[in-house]
Amino acid sequence: AVLLAAPAELTWRDLVADDFPQWTTTEGEGTFTFDRGELHGSGPSSRNVFLVSPDIHRDFVLECEVLAEAGSNSGIQIRSHINDQGRLSGPQVEIETTDRRWSGGLYDEGRRGWLDPLEGDEEAMAAFRIGEWNHYRIECLGPRYRTWVNGRPCTDFMDVEDLDGHIAFQIHGGAFCDVRWRNIRIADLG
């Protein structure tokens, strides 16, 4: 089988910048702000809240840095869709601060649940550092999803359920969530 890989030379652009006012949020009480290149999501919220890109993305490489305070649960939605009830569903790259340590794993929000939970992969599970900036790299190429946290491979998963969709940032429902993203950039590959 031929496995797809991103080209060595990528053309990057800021994913969240001057178009921030065009991004939309799903229902919920959490808030998103964007100031000086930093996206900040915080709650409490009775349900998951997502900041959703105005564009549809197919094949891409996304990189950013993530800072999640202890007690936070979040994620980066990729190739996701909003249904008629306003609920977002699709693949999500996990950001979490629990003892489970599945940050960088792949979850299917609103549908199938965990696709690649990192269970038993001690190196991947040790990559995320709570309360510090963490580098995320996400590649979506055809049916192949790959993620890295702080340079450590986390997910390498094949799935044809979603081959394009929105990118979104999550405030997980619950009593507390405080997550920041910066240096958010994307290389669109078609």
Side-chain angles (χ1 to χ4, degrees), residues 25-66:
T25 55
T26 61
E27 290 183 24
E29 298 83 30
T31 61
F32 288 94
T33 58
F34 185 71
D35 186 38
R36 294 183 212 144
E38 186 173 289
L39 178 63
H40 181 206
S42 61
S45 183
S46 60
R47 61 187 293 185
N48 294 348
V49 182
F50 299 93
L51 178 70
V52 183
S53 70
D55 300 321
I56 299 292
H57 298 272
R58 184 171 176 81
D59 291 349
F60 60 88
V61 178
L62 185 151
E63 291 189 351
C64 65
E65 293 174 84
V66 177

Side-chain angles (χ1 to χ4, degrees), residues 15 23 26 48-53 55 57 60 62 73-82 87-95 106-111 136 138 140 145 162 165-172 181 186:
L15 179 63
W23 288 61
T26 61
N48 294 348
V49 182
F50 299 93
L51 178 70
V52 183
S53 70
D55 300 321
H57 298 272
F60 60 88
L62 185 151
N73 186 326
S74 182
I76 302 168
Q77 293 290 138
I78 48 180
R79 295 176 167 176
S80 294
H81 305 274
I82 299 175
R87 178 167 172 123
L88 185 128
S89 63
Q92 177 191 113
V93 179
E94 183 75 359
I95 300 167
L106 191 63
Y107 183 79
D108 190 5
E109 175 72 27
R111 296 185 305 200
Y136 270 61
I138 301 165
C140 294
Y145 294 81
D162 299 286
H166 295 280
I167 293 171
F169 298 92
Q170 181 194 53
I171 298 170
H172 197 284
W181 296 266
I186 191 169

Side-chain angles (χ1 to χ4, degrees), residues 57-165:
H57 298 272
R58 184 171 176 81
D59 291 349
F60 60 88
V61 178
L62 185 151
E63 291 189 351
C64 65
E65 293 174 84
V66 177
L67 173 66
E69 296 300 329
S72 297
N73 186 326
S74 182
I76 302 168
Q77 293 290 138
I78 48 180
R79 295 176 167 176
S80 294
H81 305 274
I82 299 175
N83 66 21
D84 294 340
Q85 291 78 40
R87 178 167 172 123
L88 185 128
S89 63
Q92 177 191 113
V93 179
E94 183 75 359
I95 300 167
E96 69 162 6
T97 62
T98 70
D99 292 339
R100 184 175 62 186
R101 304 179 302 147
W102 287 354
S103 288
L106 191 63
Y107 183 79
D108 190 5
E109 175 72 27
R111 296 185 305 200
R112 299 173 287 173
W114 282 103
L115 302 174
D116 190 1
L118 307 188
E119 193 168 27
D121 186 343
E122 289 300 322
E123 284 193 27
M125 291 167 57
F128 188 85
R129 298 179 304 266
I130 298 169
E132 298 179 30
W133 286 104
N134 296 272
H135 182 266
Y136 270 61
R137 181 181 173 100
I138 301 165
E139 290 184 3
C140 294
L141 300 165
R144 190 177 191 190
Y145 294 81
R146 295 195 302 170
T147 69
W148 292 260
V149 175
N150 294 324
R152 291 191 182 166
C154 293
T155 291
D156 193 343
F157 192 81
M158 301 291 280
D159 188 37
V160 296
E161 185 75 18
D162 299 286
L163 295 177
D164 67 8

Side-chain angles (χ1 to χ4, degrees), residues 169-189:
F169 298 92
Q170 181 194 53
I171 298 170
H172 197 284
F176 175 81
C177 185
D178 193 309
V179 181
R180 297 174 187 272
W181 296 266
R182 69 182 184 191
N183 299 320
I184 309 166
R185 65 183 191 159
I186 191 169
D188 283 306
L189 304 176

